[in-house]
Amino acid sequence: MYLPRAFAEHDLEALDRLAGRDRFITLVTVRDGEPVVSHLPVLYRRSGDHVELIGHWARPNPQATHAGPALAIFHGPHAYVSPGWYPDKEAAARVPTWNYAVAHLRGTLSTFDDERSLADVVDGLSIDHEATVGGDWRFEFERDDLRRQLRGIVGFRFIAHEIALKFKLSQNHPMTNREAVASQLETQSREASRETAALMRERMTTESNGD
């Protein structure tokens, strides 16, 4: 990932935030020189610098036979930025751009298919997400019909070895431009645009406090 110094984020709490916002990754592996991609919900675990992702594929997914090096991507909010919003748009000949937050995790992928571990993954994902939709479904291990469903999936564990966080939030602009962009994004109908504005405000507040 192209990562200019101005946009690099080093605090892993920023990764916690992206994962907490949307525990759904793009998982990339390579087989025979070709990229293979899946989009998957995951359980996110971090202890200090140790980051682990756990999830599962449908068994027919070709990636379910992969192990070894992999790339996991968390996508944060993103928004179009119009050059017309910059106070110095004419003097600096500003052009359109896109603000966004994203995390690239490079690491090692391993697989598992024992019944107990797969059940724990399915149950863990339901605990994470059922409450968000007003539900209370849980995996009942004692039910044979539910355990039989586990034959259709393969579990994975991903251990991150390198983490790159890119928060491209107009940090390379004068503060007057950043304030103007955040103000405009706060008025947009897209929720992601307003979330991007909130991230911009946080960074600007931190900088003004000298942290």
Side-chain angles (χ1 to χ4, degrees), residues 52-206:
E52 182 177 69
L53 310 177
I54 304 170
H56 66 81
W57 301 279
R59 189 170 289 276
N61 185 333
Q63 200 175 57
T65 63
H66 292 200
L71 170 68
I73 303 171
F74 281 103
H75 300 275
H78 57 89
Y80 172 74
V81 176
S82 168
W85 297 345
Y86 300 123
D88 67 354
K89 58 184 176 294
E90 294 299 333
R94 297 299 185 185
V95 294
T97 191
W98 208 273
N99 280 4
Y100 59 91
V102 69
H104 283 202
L105 287 66
R106 295 183 180 274
T108 302
L109 192 66
S110 59
T111 64
F112 57 87
D113 62 2
D114 63 285
E115 195 173 69
R116 182 75 259 182
S117 296
L118 291 174
D120 287 344
V121 173
V122 175
D123 193 48
L125 289 170
S126 70
I127 291 172
D128 267 2
H129 299 288
E130 277 290 310
T132 67
V133 296
D136 59 1
W137 187 90
R138 294 289 303 272
F139 188 91
E140 300 174 59
F141 192 76
E142 66 277 7
R143 286 182 52 174
D144 290 341
D145 55 346
L146 289 182
R147 292 205 310 277
R148 284 196 296 272
Q149 300 282 357
L150 298 174
R151 300 170 189 169
I153 62 176
V154 175
F156 67 81
R157 181 172 288 102
F158 173 91
I159 305 296
H161 304 310
E162 179 184 333
I163 299 171
L165 292 162
K166 185 173 184 177
F167 280 56
K168 182 180 177 293
L169 301 169
S170 303
Q171 299 98 315
N172 56 333
H173 279 261
M175 188 60 74
T176 52
N177 282 0
R178 296 166 69 180
E179 288 280 359
V181 170
S183 294
Q184 288 289 340
L185 290 176
E186 286 166 343
T187 70
Q188 303 301 305
S189 60
R190 292 179 67 247
E191 182 179 358
S193 296
R194 299 192 299 274
E195 286 185 81
T196 304
L199 285 179
M200 293 182 68
R201 293 287 186 200
E202 288 180 16
R203 293 306 186 277
M204 289 187 287
T205 299
T206 298

Side-chain angles (χ1 to χ4, degrees), residues 42-55:
V42 291
L43 300 173
Y44 172 79
R45 304 285 183 261
R46 181 173 76 85
S47 177
D49 293 335
H50 179 81
V51 175
E52 182 177 69
L53 310 177
I54 304 170

